[in-house]
Amino acid sequence: MTRARYTQVSLDSTPYYHCICRCVRRAFLCGKDRYSGQNYEHRRQWVVDRLAALAEVFAIDLCAYAVMSNHYHLVLRINQKKALAWTDQEVAERWMLLFSGPLIVKRWIKGQTEEGESLKALDIIGQWRERLHDLGWFMKCLNEYLARRANEEDCCKGRFWESRYKCQALLDEKALLQCMAYVDLNPVRADMARTPEDSDYTSVQQRARKLAGDQCAKQPDLLPMVGAETVDADDDDTLCRFRLMDYLELVEGTGRAVRENKRGSIPEQEMKILDRLGIDEKAWLSHMRPRKQRQPVAVGALARLREYAQETGRKWVAGQSLAGW
């Protein structure tokens, strides 16, 4: 039996999830429909634009994406910590970028509510905070928008998506990287693109072009991998501390493998991806200096460090191996 989506999401197990949504019957999300002759290529940008808008509102990070002809793939990270850190004012303002919101909350924002009304407004905002890091609400805001817009363009009504969406939990770093590479290689495997960086409307093309200094139209913010600009970033601000260059080579190597059940692969005669992007590996690596060691919260003799840990409610204080006796 099928299960409700919320029962498949466990933040205690993993914050990373792979979501797939496919159009019903032969409806086309994007590309050219060979049966009707209609060209829906412009709809790819709809998906990218909506992802960019939702990424600015929700506490859900985009790790990878691929927009295909009749379906799309997303790899997402639910950032509950980020949502809990927002103020009530920020939560309300973010939610009302997508929805109008009740009058009582609008009056609360302006400071025009009494104590009882304020409590009611804060209760509503608390529900919004939960929704802003809820995978189901993120997908609802994406799919409903696309379905309405596509049906309006097609002058029709009814179901546009085959089902709500399919969800797959990615429980470790290996599963995450395998899934991201699979998503990014979708156009190559479908014989729609020759190389990963030629795969339009994919996260690998976006990462490759940014690395090569070629920025295109507005694109969604991707959770960054470790690069020259992010080597000192906190672990929560990067994607599993994996180097961007290593990931591009992982995708490249996977894409060159010929699979019997897939139409396409990267041709053997193609240069390596770093050469195609015009990147000097040695020069790039020179920027990848080791991460700076974090300063310990306290320094001193070992006995004093233990006293400090006890007094501040800590079980451990980093830097004890450096403490003098």
Side-chain angles (χ1 to χ4, degrees), residues 33-190:
D33 184 354
R34 63 178 180 271
Y35 296 100
S36 66
Q38 292 289 329
N39 192 334
Y40 300 106
E41 189 67 23
H42 59 282
R43 291 182 180 175
R44 293 180 189 268
Q45 194 61 44
W46 292 1
V47 183
V48 173
D49 289 343
R50 188 61 173 175
L51 284 173
L54 295 179
E56 294 178 356
V57 175
F58 281 80
I60 293 181
D61 302 314
L62 184 60
C63 303
Y65 68 90
V67 184
M68 305 297 288
S69 295
N70 63 353
H71 70 285
Y72 67 78
H73 293 265
L74 302 177
V75 179
L76 304 168
R77 185 183 76 169
I78 302 174
N79 196 339
Q80 184 183 41
K81 181 179 177 181
K82 182 179 179 181
L84 297 178
W86 289 334
T87 64
D88 293 330
Q89 177 91 11
E90 189 173 5
V91 169
E93 291 174 351
R94 283 175 175 271
W95 184 259
M96 287 193 290
L97 289 173
L98 299 173
F99 303 96
S100 60
L103 180 60
I104 191 172
V105 176
K106 294 178 181 178
R107 293 182 61 240
W108 175 84
I109 292 176
K110 297 177 180 178
Q112 299 174 349
T113 54
E114 301 295 334
E115 183 178 355
E117 293 176 317
S118 296
L119 291 175
K120 178 60 177 178
L122 290 174
D123 182 59
I124 295 172
I125 292 172
Q127 296 177 21
W128 291 351
R129 187 188 299 275
E130 293 295 319
R131 291 175 181 179
L132 286 176
H133 67 272
D134 184 279
L135 185 60
W137 272 93
F138 181 92
M139 297 299 293
K140 169 186 169 67
C141 291
L142 175 62
N143 283 346
E144 188 175 292
Y145 169 86
L146 295 173
R148 289 180 183 275
R149 192 166 178 182
N151 282 348
E152 182 180 1
E153 184 180 62
D154 294 338
C155 299
C156 68
K157 297 180 180 180
R159 181 179 292 274
F160 182 74
W161 300 106
E162 187 176 68
S163 58
R164 281 186 61 201
Y165 62 91
K166 295 179 181 178
C167 179
Q168 178 184 48
L170 306 173
L171 299 180
D172 55 33
E173 184 176 290
K174 180 180 178 181
L176 172 63
L177 293 172
Q178 284 179 337
C179 183
M180 287 178 58
Y182 165 78
V183 169
D184 280 330
L185 283 171
N186 255 244
V188 172
R189 292 304 191 195

Side-chain angles (χ1 to χ4, degrees), residues 193-262:
R194 186 179 177 89
T195 62
E197 67 272 20
D198 290 334
S199 305
D200 293 333
Y201 302 99
T202 60
S203 51
V204 69
Q205 184 189 64
Q206 183 175 332
R207 293 184 194 277
R209 288 186 172 179
K210 183 177 180 180
L211 186 60
D214 180 17
Q215 281 293 80
C216 301
K218 184 179 179 181
Q219 295 174 317
D221 290 333
L222 294 172
L223 187 61
M225 293 184 171
V226 178
E229 298 176 353
T230 56
V231 66
D232 292 326
D234 291 337
D235 292 353
D236 290 342
D237 297 329
T238 56
L239 204 159
C240 68
R241 299 306 302 172
F242 202 76
R243 294 196 317 167
L244 173 57
M245 189 174 67
D246 291 338
Y247 175 72
L248 293 177
E249 292 186 335
L250 171 67
V251 174
E252 172 86 358
T254 306
R256 287 182 183 271
V258 177
R259 294 179 56 182
E260 294 181 359
N261 60 337
K262 298 295 181 181

